[in-house]
Amino acid sequence: MNLRVKIVLLTMMALIMSGCVGVQDAEGWRSVQKDEFLEILKTDKYASICNQRGLYEKVRASHNSVLMSKMLVAYTENLANGCIDLETFNKAQKARNSVHFSSKYTTYLQEVNVKNIAMQLKAGQSIEQILQPYVPEYYQFHALLHQYHARKNDATTSSELLHKIRLNIERVKLMKPGLGKNYALVNIPEFKVRVIENDKTSLAMRVIVGKRSKQTPIFSADLQSIVLNPTWNVPDSIARHEIIPKALKDPDYLKKHRLVMRRDYNLDSPALHFDANLSAKYVGGKGEVPFKFIEVASGRNALGRVKFLFPNENSVYMHDTPTKWLFKKKVRAYSHGCVRLGNPMKMLDFVSTNYTTASKEKIDKEYKSRKTHFINIAKRLPVHTAYLTAYVEEDGKLHFFNDIYGYDKLQKLNFN
């Protein structure tokens, strides 16, 4: 059920049940709604006054219904879409991206319908009911809010730490809504992935993420399939900047690294041979390359023995890796953007058992075959790559992480 349908149904139910409870003013406010909203604003329950502090002070002093309606819309907008200055941030992102540097931060903005809010108010809905569709369902939102409210009047909490907590509250607001209670969360600054089910961590492990110049993008997508014994379709950008230059220097480079050439990423299509003169035209720069490199399945394949696909425009996925020693390092930013798993077999066992219909016998047989096999996901499991430099564990302990991609500096709050 989408957000708009949900709001309309709630409004209809409220109309049926509200009857003549309370006297409405010209703006549709009842005294009980005003009292409720003023209480929410008094504590800034959802950390969404933000850039509307001036309007809030007028509302608090006057209780004016017109101003209160404007405040309700503004509060809902800030709750739905956060209080980071996205215009400034997006300009900074665009300025720093180049052929040799890639960074992408997807924000999932929601539509806040002013007419719907007015209808809900006049129907007698509570302010909590009006705000509820826009409250992030993720555990981290409520956990970070609790930490923020508990610490903002604590003299022992520095303004820098308080700002960091608040910035991460705003980041959670910008995550994709409505993706259910079960999901995989890759927290990039923490170098960790968790599978979270009903607000509890069912599985966690170390990961390697994109290097500072080839950052793992921030986005959300549904897990679609598991690939056993995967081939690696070399992206054109890596072909231009790494594979072709190395192959031009060493005629045996492709053979040494188990790379074959095709016109597209279909391994069954006719084979091509490396042409130095043609290939030299595609060294460096950007754009599509008219031939493709594929690394065949093997124990030494760059993707290892298993890959987890959640189709997206970034060509990012989770996978095994032969570079196991890198997981011993504290800072693990080494990939071209994909997420390398510290214990891929544990992830394979957990996901195949709980999110596919494939038997353990089938998985084991196909894994040992050394041939590429696809296992479809039968139960929905969204994957979020997130950037949380403040994170609250389930025991309530707050952790802070280093700003490896520079987002703490680039993302500015729209209020002081």
Side-chain angles (χ1 to χ4, degrees), residues 214-281:
K214 300 291 180 184
Q215 300 177 3
T216 298
I218 313 302
F219 71 102
S220 299
D222 283 3
L223 188 64
Q224 186 180 81
S225 61
I226 303 168
V227 187
L228 303 176
N229 305 307
T231 57
W232 179 39
N233 297 332
V234 180
D236 287 341
S237 59
I238 297 178
R240 283 179 172 274
H241 294 280
E242 296 185 31
I243 305 300
I244 296 174
K246 290 175 181 177
L248 289 171
K249 290 180 181 179
D250 179 2
D252 292 325
Y253 178 82
L254 298 183
K255 183 177 180 181
K256 289 176 183 176
H257 291 82
R258 303 161 304 284
L259 290 162
V260 297
M261 290 182 66
R262 300 289 188 270
R263 291 198 180 279
D264 53 38
Y265 289 124
N266 179 7
L267 198 57
D268 295 326
S269 61
L272 299 180
H273 297 287
F274 187 78
D275 183 323
N277 292 327
L278 174 63
S279 299
K281 297 177 182 178

Side-chain angles (χ1 to χ4, degrees), residues 24 38 142 186 201 217 248 276 319 323 360 404-405:
Q24 241 179 19
L38 287 168
H142 300 284
V186 180
T201 299
L248 289 171
H319 64 88
T323 59
K360 287 186 180 294
I404 60 163
Y405 288 172

Side-chain angles (χ1 to χ4, degrees), residues 98-112:
S98 68
V99 172
H100 302 291
F101 184 95
S102 61
S103 176
K104 184 178 180 182
Y105 198 111
T106 305
T107 55
Y108 295 91
L109 303 182
Q110 301 181 70
E111 180 186 358
V112 175

Side-chain angles (χ1 to χ4, degrees), residues 40-324:
I40 289 171
L41 293 173
K42 182 179 178 180
T43 60
D44 197 7
K45 181 176 179 179
Y46 296 114
S48 294
I49 291 179
C50 304
N51 56 351
Q52 299 297 325
R53 178 62 58 180
L55 178 57
Y56 165 59
E57 293 300 336
K58 291 178 182 178
V59 167
R60 187 172 65 88
S62 68
H63 294 200
N64 179 276
S65 295
V66 174
L67 294 178
M68 197 167 279
S69 292
K70 289 181 180 178
M71 187 71 220
L72 178 57
V73 171
Y75 199 84
T76 306
E77 179 69 41
N78 286 340
L79 176 59
N81 297 317
C83 300
I84 291 171
D85 182 350
L86 292 180
E87 183 178 355
T88 300
F89 171 62
N90 289 335
K91 284 180 181 178
Q93 278 286 85
K94 186 176 181 180
R96 70 175 185 159
N97 272 289
S98 68
V99 172
H100 302 291
F101 184 95
S102 61
S103 176
K104 184 178 180 182
Y105 198 111
T106 305
T107 55
Y108 295 91
L109 303 182
Q110 301 181 70
E111 180 186 358
V112 175
N113 190 303
V114 178
K115 289 183 178 179
N116 280 349
I117 291 176
M119 283 175 56
Q120 291 171 277
L121 192 68
K122 290 176 181 178
Q125 286 191 22
S126 69
I127 304 305
E128 287 287 3
Q129 286 176 314
I130 294 171
L131 296 176
Q132 195 56 46
Y134 306 99
V135 176
E137 63 264 58
Y138 304 107
Y139 167 78
Q140 282 305 301
F141 179 70
H142 300 284
L144 287 168
L145 261 181
H146 175 76
Q147 291 284 342
Y148 183 73
H149 287 310
R151 292 168 182 258
K152 66 181 177 182
N153 295 318
D154 182 355
T156 64
T157 302
S158 69
S159 58
E160 290 79 13
L161 286 187
L162 198 62
H163 174 82
K164 193 158 188 164
I165 297 170
R166 183 58 189 267
L167 188 58
N168 283 277
I169 289 171
E170 302 308 322
R171 285 175 181 153
V172 178
K173 290 179 185 177
L174 291 169
M175 289 175 67
K176 191 170 185 178
L179 285 183
K181 293 191 175 183
N182 296 354
Y183 53 90
L185 180 71
V186 180
N187 190 21
I188 292 167
E190 191 181 4
F191 307 106
K192 181 178 278 191
V193 60
R194 296 173 176 85
V195 177
I196 298 172
E197 299 176 312
N198 296 311
D199 293 336
K200 301 293 182 184
T201 299
S202 298
L203 179 69
M205 67 183 64
R206 292 184 171 197
V207 297
I208 292 169
V209 300
K211 58 186 75 172
R212 288 178 175 87
S213 61
K214 300 291 180 184
Q215 300 177 3
T216 298
I218 313 302
F219 71 102
S220 299
D222 283 3
L223 188 64
Q224 186 180 81
S225 61
I226 303 168
V227 187
L228 303 176
N229 305 307
T231 57
W232 179 39
N233 297 332
V234 180
D236 287 341
S237 59
I238 297 178
R240 283 179 172 274
H241 294 280
E242 296 185 31
I243 305 300
I244 296 174
K246 290 175 181 177
L248 289 171
K249 290 180 181 179
D250 179 2
D252 292 325
Y253 178 82
L254 298 183
K255 183 177 180 181
K256 289 176 183 176
H257 291 82
R258 303 161 304 284
L259 290 162
V260 297
M261 290 182 66
R262 300 289 188 270
R263 291 198 180 279
D264 53 38
Y265 289 124
N266 179 7
L267 198 57
D268 295 326
S269 61
L272 299 180
H273 297 287
F274 187 78
D275 183 323
N277 292 327
L278 174 63
S279 299
K281 297 177 182 178
Y282 297 96
V283 173
K286 298 176 72 174
E288 187 176 355
V289 177
F291 48 85
K292 307 301 177 187
F293 295 100
I294 304 171
E295 184 182 6
V296 298
S298 76
R300 292 184 293 164
N301 183 289
L303 306 185
R305 300 288 306 281
V306 61
K307 175 171 71 170
F308 299 84
L309 281 177
F310 37 104
N312 58 86
E313 62 183 9
N314 308 295
S315 299
V316 165
Y317 37 83
M318 298 187 293
H319 64 88
D320 182 14
T321 175
T323 59
K324 308 292 187 186

Side-chain angles (χ1 to χ4, degrees), residues 20-21 23 32 45 70 117 146 192 223 249 343 366 369 381 383 392 394:
C20 299
V21 177
V23 178
V32 67
K45 181 176 179 179
K70 289 181 180 178
I117 291 176
H146 175 76
K192 181 178 278 191
L223 188 64
K249 290 180 181 179
N343 196 332
E366 293 184 346
S369 74
L381 185 67
V383 179
V392 183
E394 287 149 32

